Amino acid sequence: MQPTPTTVTATDGTDLRLWDQPTEDGDDGTAVVHVHGSITNSRALFAPPVEGDDSYSWLGATARTGRTALALDVRGYGDSDRPPELDEPPEANDPPVRAPTAAKDIAAAVEAAADRFETVHLLGVSWGTMTCGYYLAHHADDAPVASLTQVAPVHRPPWTFGEVTTALGVDAGLDAYYRQQYDEVRERQGVADEGSDPLFEAVWRAQVESDQGVDEDTYLAQAGALADTARACDGEPVYDAEAVDVPALVVRGTDDAISVREDAIGLYDELGATADRKEYAELAGADHYAMHGARRQALYDAVTAHYDRVEGALD
């Protein structure tokens, strides 16, 4: 079952898509807000419409644990409002959505969740770890969040920004946005033939059928996430991890070449939660997209166990 599209509004009037995957019993008092990364919108990342196989839906897996699963499209992604910069030539503007702006969108999603649920967990993936971290660091005293999960985090990466742009096949000049092309992405991800990988096709379809889509072979990715990454590569993390003191889980895959061990452990060490309120985990054989790989159920289980422990301490 695919999640239901709903809308929340940021304080500046921006309409944001919030995907809603309810439990079998409806609202039960607990929800998880999922936040995507730099390229892939929430439906593509957390609930790709793979025909006949719902095991790739992290939202579905969360809902089956008795927690309503919510997933935010930050502005410029999915079906949320597009920044006007995305309707102009890319070289005409700087990257439009940096972590501080994305954090406003996360605040709207979390506040909407808190209006419905007694307990709200927050989870970010890749760039989403930066935006969720920024949100919590700047709302340390008033964020209605029970826990934070940082999946495949990038905080103080030991690689250069040029290595990032080369891996993505984009110019390092940081225009407002860049284009993702079907054949280039398919080849970069090692998909041999067009139509041969149902998961790849489902993820691609969720991208181009959203407001990010230009046509069936092209979608736009705003470059604010790259700008934040460039700053991190220069040794300036986007947020102060020490200011984040909610219970936290940091998790990465052992085969993740983007979120490397020294960076993930460094983030874990910096987080402001006391040692008895934070955890670190690695998934053997998983890469940057663990939720789309063979270890996806292990990822779901590790995060669910974290929620269970946090909620047990609240009782």
Side-chain angles (χ1 to χ4, degrees):
M1 183 176 71
Q2 283 291 295
T4 300
T6 67
T7 301
V8 297
T9 303
T11 54
D12 64 359
T14 301
D15 284 339
L16 307 165
R17 173 68 72 234
L18 187 64
W19 297 94
D20 187 322
Q21 185 87 59
T23 68
E24 290 185 358
D25 299 325
D27 292 1
D28 70 342
T30 305
V32 181
V33 176
H34 302 68
V35 181
H36 60 78
S38 66
I39 298 177
T40 312
N41 65 43
S42 271
R43 183 165 171 255
L45 187 65
F46 297 116
V50 182
E51 186 173 353
D53 188 351
D54 67 354
S55 71
Y56 292 99
S57 176
W58 197 346
L59 302 189
T62 298
R64 286 190 290 274
T65 71
R67 301 171 177 93
T68 296
L70 305 172
L72 171 70
D73 282 336
V74 171
R75 66 187 70 194
Y77 292 87
D79 294 330
S80 290
D81 282 352
R82 290 163 58 103
E85 292 89 344
L86 297 190
D87 295 319
E88 299 179 8
E91 65 276 8
N93 296 285
D94 292 331
V97 186
R98 302 288 297 273
T101 300
K104 296 177 182 178
D105 299 347
I106 294 169
V110 169
E111 288 164 11
D115 286 342
R116 292 171 54 192
F117 301 94
E118 181 179 352
T119 301
V120 178
H121 300 281
L122 181 61
L123 178 148
V125 174
S126 193
W127 180 55
T129 67
M130 294 185 185
T131 58
C132 288
Y134 187 96
Y135 160 68
L136 284 174
H138 289 263
H139 294 79
D141 296 328
D142 60 357
V145 170
S147 78
L148 172 67
T149 300
Q150 301 285 64
V151 179
V154 176
H155 189 59
R156 297 178 187 268
W159 27 259
T160 68
F161 182 60
E163 291 173 302
V164 179
T165 55
T166 298
L168 292 175
V170 300
D171 189 339
L174 290 179
D175 292 336
Y177 62 88
Y178 54 99
R179 291 177 172 84
Q180 293 284 280
Q181 305 285 346
Y182 177 88
D183 285 338
E184 294 176 1
V185 176
R186 178 177 56 79
E187 292 175 8
R188 194 161 65 237
Q189 294 189 7
V191 178
D193 300 306
E194 181 176 345
S196 64
D197 186 329
L199 172 62
F200 178 83
E201 297 299 328
V203 170
W204 187 264
R205 190 164 64 252
Q207 291 287 132
V208 299
E209 290 177 355
S210 76
D211 285 348
Q212 285 180 264
V214 175
D215 54 44
E216 63 181 12
D217 292 321
T218 311
Y219 73 87
L220 305 183
Q222 72 89 27
L226 293 184
D228 286 341
T229 302
R231 173 179 165 178
C233 288
D234 287 338
E236 299 181 27
V238 169
Y239 67 99
D240 177 9
E242 190 174 351
V244 178
D245 62 359
V246 298
L249 168 66
V250 177
V251 57
R252 66 174 291 273
T254 60
D255 294 354
D256 191 338
I258 298 172
S259 175
V260 299
R261 175 175 289 174
E262 64 185 275
D263 191 22
I265 291 178
L267 171 61
Y268 166 81
D269 288 339
E270 285 188 38
L271 286 168
T274 54
D276 61 331
R277 299 171 70 239
K278 61 182 179 181
E279 304 169 86
Y280 179 83
E282 291 198 6
L283 302 175
D287 63 13
H288 199 61
Y289 289 92
M291 67 293 300
H292 292 169
R295 300 302 313 282
R296 58 189 179 277
Q297 188 60 54
L299 173 64
Y300 305 159
D301 291 345
V303 176
T304 296
H306 169 63
Y307 300 149
D308 289 343
R309 286 188 288 271
V310 170
E311 291 165 17
L314 294 175
D315 292 342

